[in-house]
Amino acid sequence: MDIYTIRQKLRTTRLSDIPLRVTFYARVSTDSDEQLNSLDNQIGYYRDYITRNPAWTFIDGYIDEGLSGMTTRKRDNFQRMVQDAKDDKFDLILTKEITRFARNTLDSIRYTRELLSAGVGVFFQNDNINTFDEDSELRLTIMSGIAQDELRKLSSRVRFGHQQAIKNNVVLGNSRIFGYRKDSRRLVIDENEAPMVRELFELYDTDHYRMKQI
């Protein structure tokens, strides 16, 4: 179904009542267990959401794990999705929000335009933006700009937190560092594991062993 026909139908019909082949895009930015569980929940949600609509045909989704949303260049499944759109494998992509799709304003506009030129729309659920709507690009530009600015602020706060932690000799993150244990948020030598660590360094210092050999 071409974009013109879909836009005509949207004047009197809900998106969920238009016969479309629908897929989804999901992404988590880390590969932690908590985030991967969230990803499983997203997959289950979209499968149920799409198959519950009688007018829609479910198409397997596209998932990227443990990758940043700041750029789309390294997201293999995202790129595969764009290519499949050009190959006419679906009509609509559902995604949670702009920040799951792209946090870069230029990427957001570029790819939604590219998908529309292939006859494929994107529905950002949390942002309530449907790119089949004729006024969607303005709203998308504003919302993706806000998302990009939030990422910049978050990055700045994280850097500041790390700098303060370094000044205070505080270790951030987990304590799974062989040869050390965490005590009052600081690393201290684990004397049970320390002999092996020292031996490894001594072996490396002889120049007789490479890292891979050790």
Side-chain angles (χ1 to χ4, degrees), residues 21-23 57 59 62 80-81 83-92 118 120:
R21 297 165 298 165
V22 183
T23 188
T57 301
I59 305 296
Y62 300 81
R80 183 169 63 86
M81 177 182 71
Q83 184 57 52
D84 285 351
K86 294 176 181 178
D87 292 338
D88 192 33
K89 293 187 177 181
F90 46 80
D91 308 301
L92 177 67
V120 174

Side-chain angles (χ1 to χ4, degrees), residues 27-32 35-36 39 63-69 74-75:
R27 178 184 63 80
V28 294
S29 54
T30 72
D31 55 6
S32 69
Q35 286 285 287
L36 292 180
L39 184 59
I63 302 147
D64 281 313
E65 300 176 10
L67 297 169
S68 169
K74 295 181 180 180
R75 290 195 264 158

Side-chain angles (χ1 to χ4, degrees), residues 30-47:
T30 72
D31 55 6
S32 69
D33 290 342
E34 182 180 353
Q35 286 285 287
L36 292 180
N37 287 336
S38 170
L39 184 59
D40 287 339
N41 291 336
Q42 289 183 60
I43 295 168
Y45 166 78
Y46 280 118
R47 180 179 291 276

Side-chain angles (χ1 to χ4, degrees), residues 92-111:
L92 177 67
I93 301 166
L94 300 185
T95 193
K96 185 178 178 183
E97 55 195 357
I98 293 170
T99 56
R100 297 293 90 191
F101 193 75
R103 282 180 174 160
N104 180 299
T105 305
L106 292 177
D107 274 350
S108 296
I109 300 302
R110 172 193 166 189
Y111 282 104

Side-chain angles (χ1 to χ4, degrees), residues 117-202:
S117 69
V120 174
V122 183
F123 180 51
F124 302 94
Q125 287 186 293
N126 288 2
D127 305 296
N128 195 29
I129 296 176
N130 171 16
T131 61
F132 282 134
D133 292 335
E134 294 183 40
D135 66 344
S136 64
E137 187 165 305
L138 174 61
R139 295 171 58 207
L140 181 63
T141 301
I142 294 170
M143 295 300 293
S144 60
I146 292 171
Q148 187 174 334
D149 188 56
E150 283 300 310
L151 180 63
R152 180 188 60 78
K153 290 178 181 177
L154 176 62
S155 178
S156 177
R157 288 195 294 269
V158 169
R159 283 199 303 271
F160 177 77
H162 285 168
Q163 289 169 356
Q164 292 303 112
I166 291 169
K167 287 180 182 178
N168 296 326
N169 296 317
V170 171
V171 176
L172 300 176
N174 62 56
S175 57
R176 292 177 293 181
I177 302 175
F178 191 78
Y180 294 88
R181 58 184 173 82
K182 210 169 184 180
D183 183 15
S184 300
R185 302 175 67 194
R186 301 188 181 193
L187 289 180
V188 295
I189 294 174
D190 184 330
E191 294 300 341
N192 293 323
E193 297 176 347
M196 185 177 292
V197 176
R198 293 189 180 104
E199 183 178 357
L200 291 172
F201 273 89
E202 287 168 2

